[in-house]
Amino acid sequence: MPHSDPMDSAERYAWLQSELARLDHAYYVLDTPLLPDSEYDRLYRELIALEQVHPDWVRPDSLSQRVGGAALKEFTSVKHAVPMLSLNNAFDDAEVMNFDRRCREGLQQNQVTYAGELKFDGLAISLRYENGLLVQAATRGDGSSGEDVTANIKTIRAIPLRLQGNTIPAVLEVRGEVFMHLADFAKMNQEAARLGEKEFANPRNAAAGSLRQLDSKITAKRPLSFFAYGVGACEPQSWLPKSHSALLDQYLSLGLPVCAERKVLSSVDDILSFYREIGSKRDRLPYDIDGVVYKVNSFAEQAELGFVSRAPRFALAHKYPAQEALTTVLGIDVQVGRTGAITPVARLAPVEVGGVTVTNATLHNEDEVKRKDVRTGDTVVVRRAGDVIPEVVSVVLERRPNDTKAFEMPSRCPVCDSHIERVADEAIARCSGGLFCGAQRKQALVHFAHRRAMDIEGLGEKIVDQLVDNNLVRTPADIYRLGFTAVANLERMGEKSADNLIQAINQSRTTTLARFIFALGIRHVGETTAKDLANHYQNMHALMDATGEDLLTVRDVGPVVADSITGFMQEPHNREVIEQLLASGMVLSVEEKKVSAAVAGKTFVLTGTLPTLSRDEAKERLERAGAKVAGSVSKKTDYVVAGDDAGSKLTKAEELGVPVIDEAAMLGLLAQE
Ligand code: D41
């Protein structure tokens, strides 16, 4: 509808404000987006356009205020109407039990009810709402006064600029934590890395750094979030419910974000199970927490307990072991994975992280080491989250000794001395040793024996492990030298299974060239490429000696695949293994009956002259794929393949409604698996 009439557009403007606020609430507080981003953006742009025409309409809670304003010279200081207290910490169960005992004794009750919630690792702030409107936001500072960060806070979409609902108090100070979701943090750091900007060491620093920006336009670009967990001033006091858990429920109805991971707990046992329950899912939470918090649930009881110095007697933070620690790098090694992937690993002076002694930490890949510029001798931040491999997060540059050298990737595999290769566009460097490399041997053997490769039934991971560990098999060629006794002596291997395995090995000698090529486990050579290579080269030696240039003429082989094949074939060990295999009595056929699901069992009729295939070739291909080729068209015909000068068969097909396709379509059907 057109909005030229002033009444009309004023109404439209009001609607846009409330609609966008509703969408923000759904997205950022309830986690349930209602509209696609593009639709949201359209409404938002409409709002901005109206504000440009009517600047006098812009209010402090207009959503356009979320983009930030003029940069400040410095933050002004704000005195908190009600001080922001700090939390006492507990690090073990005994301290928690003492807390519960003190609460029970202080209240002269046998039992106290607590509210359990998460302890977010961010920045504590206080939001002041007057008659529902967000008027001021301040950091905790020293607890009595903090910094005015109102402009920055307004850019956080999870924080409502105006409270919702019918019972809004005249004054409400909402306390809570500003933090960053792990996914947002990772994305932000990736973008910073891409632009060559400074990256933040962790989400907490990122949140703090973003909130302390004097330029709120920068804060607006940072993906900050917020959870409410406390209250400061409130007028009238009668607005407050009777308990902490009820307060958080009431916050939700005002449109404030409250974390759903909370529970009312009625004993110290409950408390400790809450701690463990959250602890077990800590690593799966989408944000960092450093503990849980227990609060006496009843506000009357809280008041009765009061506080000592600046910490309430009614609340306790129960911390989890830190996930980060500082240590020094003793050296940087590279490890070879089961797929040949080369991973740089920092050897560390032993340090306890999250209750476990860490001596090694992954550096992921060459680019990561270069980006973080980790060097032997450096002091580094190490992080260990749950079962995840410890990693080096960052270097403390201030502590770098004078004579350090930048890391260089070795050129040869530490296990088998084959060349280490890095394909363009890939972050991972790999050992080219393939079948020969000890680190890759088991994986290579399991792949070799796989049902879709050499199809050696009974030669799975467990048997391969034993064969390799007992030095019976090093390369696939060794499989064909295995004797009955050696196999029968393996653990959990009866005579019958040993016999079956030996038979399966013998049978696998007769196979197709394509399977043989696939079984070699050349990187980027999957089943289809293996078939194409087999069809193209027809024998193994032709493929072994193919040049990169020649390989590029094979269907679907591009530079990456060609490089991978020539790299593999250039390693003398690989050639040796192939020669031994060929000498062990392999019978490799070139053509494999490839049953195509789209064609098998179907009846085809050929008519006219096809552009590339002769009638016989077409017939042979169809039959090899499991189709019947008939001489005349009937109701039972599934397809008529028509070329130039097709005659009566084409007319007949059209009469009967039989699908008529051309050669290209037929080849398409044949190509389907
Ligand atoms: O998640 C937190 N970091 C958190 C901090 C929390 N869940 N609850 C808290 N409760 C309080 C009281 C009980 C004093 C209202 C707190 C904090 N305080 C707090 N954060 C920083 C200083 C104090």
Side-chain angles (χ1 to χ4, degrees):
M1 58 173 166
H3 312 297
S4 48
D5 175 39
M7 253 328 275
D8 250 7
S9 45
E11 268 173 39
R12 177 74 182 169
Y13 180 72
W15 180 83
L16 284 168
Q17 286 288 7
S18 67
E19 181 64 3
L20 286 164
R22 188 177 74 92
L23 294 171
D24 273 349
H25 178 251
Y27 190 101
Y28 293 101
V29 181
L30 305 179
D31 245 349
T32 44
L34 297 177
L35 284 184
D37 289 353
S38 58
E39 203 50 26
Y40 179 98
D41 291 344
R42 198 180 58 75
L43 296 175
Y44 185 79
R45 280 196 302 274
E46 192 183 340
L47 177 96
I48 300 301
L50 280 173
E51 288 192 349
Q52 270 162 2
V53 183
H54 306 280
D56 54 314
W57 288 357
V58 181
R59 289 175 311 191
D61 62 329
S62 290
L63 288 158
S64 54
Q65 302 306 296
R66 297 246 194 239
V67 296
L72 305 174
K73 288 220 168 50
E74 58 181 0
F75 292 118
T76 43
S77 172
V78 180
K79 195 168 158 46
H80 299 300
V82 174
M84 289 179 80
L85 302 174
S86 60
L87 284 172
N88 284 323
N89 290 320
F91 294 91
D92 58 35
D93 291 4
E95 290 175 282
V96 176
M97 289 178 190
N98 276 334
F99 163 75
D100 172 58
R101 185 179 44 73
R102 285 193 307 269
C103 288
R104 282 185 287 113
E105 285 173 4
L107 296 168
Q108 300 188 327
Q109 289 171 191
N110 289 330
Q111 193 236 327
V112 174
T113 301
Y114 302 94
E117 64 196 27
L118 306 187
K119 184 167 188 299
F120 307 102
D121 202 6
L123 233 81
I125 54 155
S126 185
L127 309 172
R128 187 175 169 91
Y129 287 91
E130 292 179 3
N131 298 314
L133 185 67
L134 176 65
V135 293
Q136 192 170 63
T139 59
R140 176 168 178 275
D142 63 5
S144 329
S145 54
E147 287 173 334
D148 185 334
V149 287
T150 312
N152 291 347
I153 286 295
K154 281 187 170 182
T155 69
I156 303 176
R157 298 196 173 236
I159 297 179
L161 300 176
R162 180 176 288 280
L163 299 176
Q164 302 172 355
N166 304 323
T167 45
I168 289 168
V171 174
L172 180 66
E173 280 181 10
V174 177
R175 267 109 199 238
E177 203 86 353
V178 168
F179 66 96
M180 204 176 274
H181 280 92
L182 297 174
D184 290 332
F185 167 73
K187 215 156 70 188
M188 189 182 102
N189 256 0
Q190 264 164 25
E191 183 63 7
R194 200 178 63 80
L195 299 172
E197 290 169 4
K198 184 180 163 299
E199 291 168 63
F200 287 102
N202 55 47
R204 205 203 99 83
N205 288 4
S210 302
L211 205 57
R212 294 226 182 83
Q213 275 293 333
L214 288 166
D215 183 352
S216 52
K217 288 207 161 60
I218 294 179
T219 313
K221 294 196 186 108
R222 305 281 173 79
L224 294 171
S225 201
F226 175 79
F227 276 135
Y229 56 63
V231 63
C234 177
E235 289 165 30
Q237 281 281 308
S238 62
W239 181 88
L240 282 176
K242 295 212 179 318
S243 69
H244 181 69
S245 56
L247 171 72
L248 298 187
D249 292 341
Q250 211 151 295
Y251 274 175
L252 280 173
S253 69
L254 294 178
L256 289 160
V258 174
C259 178
E261 300 282 356
R262 57 194 174 103
K263 235 182 205 170
V264 174
L265 309 162
S266 46
S267 68
V268 75
D269 285 347
D270 270 12
I271 279 189
L272 294 174
S273 3
F274 179 71
Y275 177 79
R276 290 189 232 299
E277 178 196 322
I278 299 296
S280 71
K281 57 171 141 169
R282 181 185 185 192
D283 299 331
R284 278 173 281 137
L285 292 172
Y287 34 69
D288 272 344
I289 58 169
D290 57 352
V292 293
V293 185
Y294 317 121
K295 296 171 183 173
V296 169
N297 200 26
S298 149
F299 284 143
E301 290 174 12
Q302 285 191 2
E304 204 177 324
L305 286 166
F307 35 89
V308 209
S309 66
R310 292 184 160 270
R313 283 205 194 89
F314 58 78
L316 184 73
H318 191 181
K319 299 282 214 97
Y320 292 111
Q323 291 174 311
E324 289 185 356
L326 283 184
T327 188
T328 51
V329 177
L330 304 176
I332 301 177
D333 293 341
V334 298
Q335 277 177 1
V336 196
R338 280 163 60 90
T339 59
I342 303 281
T343 311
V345 174
R347 277 188 296 112
L348 304 170
V351 62
E352 206 178 277
V353 193
V356 170
T357 304
V358 170
T359 53
N360 289 305
T362 181
L363 289 160
H364 299 292
N365 58 52
E366 186 179 7
D367 291 349
E368 278 281 298
V369 189
K370 296 233 161 96
R371 199 169 58 74
K372 290 176 180 161
D373 191 17
V374 181
R375 304 176 180 202
T376 300
D378 270 341
T379 297
V380 291
V381 178
V382 187
R383 183 180 169 88
R384 193 191 73 89
D387 300 332
V388 183
I389 307 165
E391 63 170 349
V392 170
V393 177
S394 57
V395 173
V396 185
L397 282 178
E398 298 77 44
R399 297 217 201 154
R400 171 169 286 172
N402 282 328
D403 52 351
T404 59
K405 282 201 291 289
F407 169 76
E408 270 200 60
M409 196 73 167
S411 60
R412 287 179 171 272
C413 173
V415 174
C416 74
D417 204 41
S418 297
H419 288 281
I420 288 177
E421 291 176 338
R422 188 159 160 198
V423 181
D425 300 345
E426 270 192 50
I428 302 288
R430 287 176 196 275
C431 163
S432 60
L435 303 180
F436 177 78
C437 179
Q440 298 169 67
R441 201 169 287 149
K442 286 181 181 175
Q443 162 117 335
L445 289 166
V446 169
H447 172 77
F448 183 84
H450 193 268
R451 190 173 52 78
R452 308 185 71 125
M454 296 301 277
D455 192 18
I456 308 177
E457 204 185 326
L459 193 52
E461 216 164 299
K462 293 210 177 88
I463 302 290
V464 165
D465 278 355
Q466 288 194 60
L467 290 171
V468 172
D469 294 345
N470 293 328
N471 276 326
L472 292 168
V473 169
R474 281 166 46 87
T475 75
D478 296 334
I479 294 173
Y480 295 94
R481 298 188 193 108
L482 281 173
F484 175 80
T485 331
V487 174
N489 281 338
L490 295 177
E491 265 172 57
R492 268 167 287 159
M493 179 67 87
E495 289 208 352
K496 180 91 184 99
S497 348
D499 206 43
N500 287 344
L501 181 55
I502 296 289
Q503 218 174 326
I505 291 171
N506 285 336
Q507 276 169 8
S508 75
R509 283 192 172 92
T510 306
T511 186
T512 62
L513 178 60
R515 279 174 176 269
F516 185 81
I517 295 169
F518 176 56
L520 296 175
I522 306 167
R523 237 184 108 61
H524 300 301
V525 177
E527 265 181 299
T528 310
T529 306
K531 279 178 195 157
D532 292 340
L533 291 167
N535 284 334
H536 188 95
Y537 289 103
Q538 307 272 319
N539 80 68
M540 197 58 215
H541 284 107
L543 173 60
M544 287 164 81
D545 297 332
T547 62
E549 207 175 305
D550 189 43
L551 283 162
L552 287 174
T553 67
V554 180
R555 199 177 71 140
D556 286 342
V557 171
V560 173
V561 182
D563 278 356
S564 169
I565 297 169
T566 50
F568 185 92
M569 296 302 178
Q570 273 160 20
E571 280 299 333
H573 332 294
N574 291 337
R575 297 185 78 90
E576 204 175 301
V577 170
I578 295 171
E579 292 294 1
Q580 288 175 3
L581 282 167
L582 294 175
S584 75
M586 290 285 155
V587 183
L588 304 178
S589 59
V590 171
E591 277 171 1
E592 182 178 40
K593 182 164 177 175
K594 177 188 148 193
V595 175
S596 155
V599 168
K602 299 266 161 43
T603 303
F604 284 73
V605 172
L606 302 166
T607 177
T609 312
L610 301 179
T612 70
L613 296 173
S614 72
R615 187 72 72 88
D616 280 346
E617 282 168 337
K619 182 165 185 270
E620 206 210 351
R621 290 234 198 159
L622 286 167
E623 284 176 349
R624 236 194 299 144
K628 281 201 286 272
V629 178
S632 62
V633 180
S634 74
K635 273 190 274 183
K636 289 189 189 140
T637 310
D638 293 294
Y639 294 102
V640 168
V641 184
D644 279 351
D645 301 325
S648 63
K649 289 179 192 170
L650 179 58
T651 326
K652 183 83 186 278
E654 280 162 358
E655 274 172 28
L656 292 174
V658 173
V660 177
I661 61 175
D662 60 9
E663 186 199 63
M666 179 192 85
L667 292 173
L669 289 175
L670 285 168
Q672 287 175 32
E673 291 281 337

